[in-house]
Amino acid sequence: MGIKLVYAIQPEPKGLAQAFLIGRDLIANEDTSALVLGDNVFFGHDFSKEIEGAAMHVRTVGGTAIFGYTVRDPERYGIVELDESGMAISLEEKPKAPKSRLAVPCLYFYDRDVVKYAEKLSPSVRGELEITDLNRKYLE
C-alpha cells in the first residue's frame, strides 16, 4: 500500500488554508488529501487505526475529518463543539468564551472539493486564509 508524500513551499505565511491553493496541482487528481503541521507530534494507542478510519471516511463519504483534543486553555486554540452523537456543530478560532475544551490539532483530511472551498475564503483580520474558516465551509 505505502504512502505518497508531495509538497510545495509557501512563499510567505498567508494561512494554513492557503496550502490547498498552492498545492492545487499536486492534489488535483487525488480523492483525499491531508494537512499536517510539522511541529505537532501525534501518538497514542490505536492512533494509526483512528487515522485510517478518518481517511476512509473522507474517501467514502466525502467532506472532511478533524480531530479534537481536550485542553485546559481552549482560548488559545481552534475549538470544535460536538453534539451528543460526536458530530461537530461549531468551530471557533481562539474564542474568548469557548463552547468546549476540544482543541483541533493540526491534522486534517479533506475530499477533492478542498481547493474549491479554499478558493472561496476571504482573508481574516490577520490577513490569512484560516483553516477554521475552511472547516466551517465543510460544516455548513
Side-chain angles (χ1 to χ4, degrees), residues 118-136:
E119 289 173 334
K120 294 178 182 178
L121 294 177
S122 298
S124 68
V125 295
R126 299 185 313 161
E128 297 185 4
L129 299 179
E130 304 287 350
I131 199 70
T132 299
D133 291 340
L134 178 63
N135 290 334
R136 275 197 209 108

Side-chain angles (χ1 to χ4, degrees), residues 59-77:
R59 273 194 300 276
T60 58
V61 177
T64 184
I66 63 172
F67 297 86
Y69 184 79
T70 303
V71 296
R72 284 181 284 215
D73 49 354
E75 62 282 348
R76 293 183 54 219
Y77 302 94

Side-chain angles (χ1 to χ4, degrees), residues 35-57:
L35 177 64
V36 182
L37 293 191
D39 62 350
N40 286 263
V41 176
F42 299 97
F43 64 93
H45 183 68
D46 291 333
F47 183 68
S48 62
K49 289 181 185 174
E50 292 290 328
I51 296 297
E52 289 171 16
M56 180 60 74
H57 174 81

Side-chain angles (χ1 to χ4, degrees), residues 12-133:
E12 57 183 295
K14 293 291 184 179
L16 295 180
Q18 185 191 30
F20 297 104
L21 302 179
I22 292 169
R24 73 170 34 113
D25 294 337
L26 298 173
I27 61 173
N29 297 317
E30 303 298 327
D31 289 331
T32 60
S33 58
L35 177 64
V36 182
L37 293 191
D39 62 350
N40 286 263
V41 176
F42 299 97
F43 64 93
H45 183 68
D46 291 333
F47 183 68
S48 62
K49 289 181 185 174
E50 292 290 328
I51 296 297
E52 289 171 16
M56 180 60 74
H57 174 81
V58 170
R59 273 194 300 276
T60 58
V61 177
T64 184
I66 63 172
F67 297 86
Y69 184 79
T70 303
V71 296
R72 284 181 284 215
D73 49 354
E75 62 282 348
R76 293 183 54 219
Y77 302 94
I79 299 298
V80 60
E81 177 188 18
L82 306 178
D83 66 14
E84 299 79 30
S85 68
M87 295 300 294
I89 56 173
S90 75
L91 294 160
E92 305 172 282
E93 185 62 33
K94 297 180 179 72
K96 291 183 186 204
K99 295 178 182 174
S100 87
R101 293 179 53 215
L102 283 176
V104 179
C106 295
L107 171 61
Y108 313 90
F109 290 91
Y110 295 97
D111 65 11
R112 60 182 22 203
D113 291 332
V114 68
V115 172
K116 175 179 74 173
Y117 287 128
E119 289 173 334
K120 294 178 182 178
L121 294 177
S122 298
S124 68
V125 295
R126 299 185 313 161
E128 297 185 4
L129 299 179
E130 304 287 350
I131 199 70
T132 299
D133 291 340

Side-chain angles (χ1 to χ4, degrees), residues 2-14:
I3 185 171
K4 176 183 173 185
L5 298 173
V6 293
Y7 70 93
I9 296 172
Q10 185 181 34
E12 57 183 295
K14 293 291 184 179

